[in-house]
Amino acid sequence: MPAHPVNASSSDQPVNALQQILGFTEPIFNAPMAGAAGGELAAAVSAAGGFGMLGIGGNVTKEWMDREAPLAASSGRGWGAGLMAWVLAKNLEPLEHVLAHGPSFVCISFGDPGPAAALAHESGSLVGMQVGNAAELSRALEDDIDVVICRGNEGGGHGRNEVSTLPLLQLALERAGKPVIAAGGLATAAGVAAVLGAGASAAWIGTRFAAATESMSHQNIKAAIGAADIDDTVYTRAFDIAQRIDWPVQYGGRALRNEFSDTWAEDIEALAAAVGADDTLTKQVDDARAKGDTSLAPIYAGQSAGLSAAGQSAAEIVADLAGFRSVLEQAARRWSTS
Ligand SMILES: Cc1cc2nc3c(=O)[nH]c(=O)nc-3n(C[C@H](O)[C@H](O)[C@H](O)COP(=O)(O)O)c2cc1C
């Protein structure tokens, strides 16, 4: 069982239970983004009053964790980590490495979180799960999950391409007797106000933080996110197939369109055949990632890329998003019946 069960609905509580337990003052989580959200970003978000998260990739090493987790904790405030359930189903070691550093929150997404959730609870972490459809929401309502993160298909990076953030959030708020966080397409104070006004306990933001100065992403990737419009993304498995990464087929990724996705996203079978034939495409994409060649490398980002800028610090982003309060106050005044 979790050290601090949070089974109260956020919407009918004068005090936000999740906020009390995790200690954030701004209801802003940076999404756990493998390759972008390391210790520096997590620490900067937590130091700014939000809640900082580490993104744990499938091939994380103990050395990486021993370097990045203390950095994340260096703000002196709470921090968390996000891991992939389908990776942990084969091997729980990445989770064990994380838990050794005492995160207060662990999010286990993209597959069944069962054994991993039990292990995280044993070590005293709260456990969250990102959900992308009604069946996953039902799974997250079981007792071993403390926090539901509704991740709509407009979001960046991997996830289902089934339901958008607002329908999923509304369903979760109706059904969940536990805190609900909204994710996908949120990048401005108005967006944060929309989901908090609906009853979410916090906003979970990936793409805008991927472009932050503290993000580990390549400069060219940050610049590409900053330059993109809201309709510049594509949802595809092409980059995973090229890189030979075993993501379950229901979890494609939303990325900025580029030369590689324009060539292959509509022709996945031909891509799989080409990758099966020799190493050429795999090497091209791996090299492009290393060099920051944005024509061939995956640039995981959601529709909110069109609302994101490069060159902003995490503190600037959190301060900007904290403007949700005045958005909510203005709305309350505008619609007041008294
Ligand atoms: C660059 C990038 C990498 C991501 N990597 C992960 C990851 O490793 N683990 C995870 O749970 N989610 C990952 N996500 C998904 C986020 O947790 C979140 O669902 C998404 O960013 C929310 O939508 P937004 O990008 O519109 O803010 C990633 C997203 C991005 C943009």
Side-chain angles (χ1 to χ4, degrees):
M1 282 303 289
H4 311 284
V6 273
N7 54 7
S9 155
S10 55
S11 53
D12 57 17
Q13 291 266 312
V15 175
N16 182 332
L18 189 65
Q19 180 183 20
Q20 246 183 359
I21 293 168
L22 296 184
F24 52 86
T25 50
E26 299 299 344
I28 309 292
F29 285 51
N30 76 270
M33 298 177 282
E40 199 185 340
L41 180 64
V45 170
S46 290
F51 192 81
M53 301 277 296
L54 290 178
I56 312 296
N59 51 4
V60 70
T61 59
K62 183 172 179 308
E63 290 66 38
W64 190 91
M65 274 314 311
D66 289 348
R67 189 178 65 241
E68 300 298 325
L71 253 182
S74 65
S75 70
R77 305 175 71 116
W79 62 279
L83 300 99
M84 295 149 195
W86 64 272
V87 171
L88 299 178
K90 297 177 202 161
N91 175 15
L92 283 170
E93 237 178 53
L95 179 61
E96 289 162 0
H97 293 329
V98 177
L99 293 174
H101 293 276
S104 37
F105 178 57
V106 166
C107 182
I108 300 160
S109 310
F110 318 127
D112 193 86
L119 191 63
H121 278 153
E122 269 170 37
S123 81
S125 297
L126 279 191
V127 177
M129 172 183 173
Q130 291 188 76
V131 303
N133 64 14
E136 285 187 343
L137 173 59
S138 296
R139 173 62 188 86
L141 297 184
E142 290 177 26
D143 284 348
D144 63 346
I145 301 299
D146 306 305
V147 185
V148 181
I149 297 99
C150 291
R151 183 212 182 270
N153 62 358
E154 56 271 70
H158 289 84
R160 289 179 183 270
N161 194 25
E162 295 178 38
V163 188
S164 302
T165 302
L166 274 181
L168 204 50
L169 177 64
Q170 292 167 84
L171 186 65
L173 289 168
E174 272 178 12
R175 292 184 60 195
K178 55 181 91 176
V180 175
I181 296 179
L186 306 172
T188 66
V192 173
V195 297
L196 295 180
S201 295
W204 176 282
I205 294 177
T207 299
R208 189 166 176 196
F209 282 116
T213 50
E214 295 90 344
S215 152
M216 296 189 306
S217 297
H218 195 284
Q219 290 304 330
N220 297 353
I221 294 217
K222 297 181 191 183
I225 293 174
D229 287 324
I230 59 170
D231 45 8
D232 282 343
T233 70
V234 60
Y235 180 86
T236 184
R237 294 172 51 229
F239 294 106
D240 292 325
I241 291 170
Q243 293 173 95
R244 302 167 194 258
I245 303 176
D246 284 344
W247 272 92
V249 292
Q250 65 273 31
Y251 302 113
R254 186 167 295 283
L256 297 188
R257 281 183 49 203
N258 62 7
E259 193 183 313
F260 189 85
S261 67
D262 283 351
T263 308
W264 296 109
E266 300 293 324
D267 208 353
I268 289 296
E269 276 179 25
L271 172 62
V275 170
D278 64 40
D279 280 354
T280 313
L281 282 171
T282 305
K283 282 200 175 124
Q284 268 180 7
V285 175
D286 287 349
D287 286 355
R289 283 188 61 175
K291 285 193 278 198
D293 171 358
T294 55
S295 66
L296 297 178
I299 309 166
Y300 284 117
Q303 294 173 357
S304 56
L307 303 162
S308 302
Q312 295 181 322
S313 69
E316 285 173 304
I317 295 173
V318 173
D320 179 44
L321 297 172
F324 75 83
R325 290 189 182 81
S326 60
V327 177
L328 289 174
E329 278 162 16
Q330 282 169 33
R333 274 202 301 274
R334 194 176 318 131
W335 298 106
S336 165
T337 49
S338 60

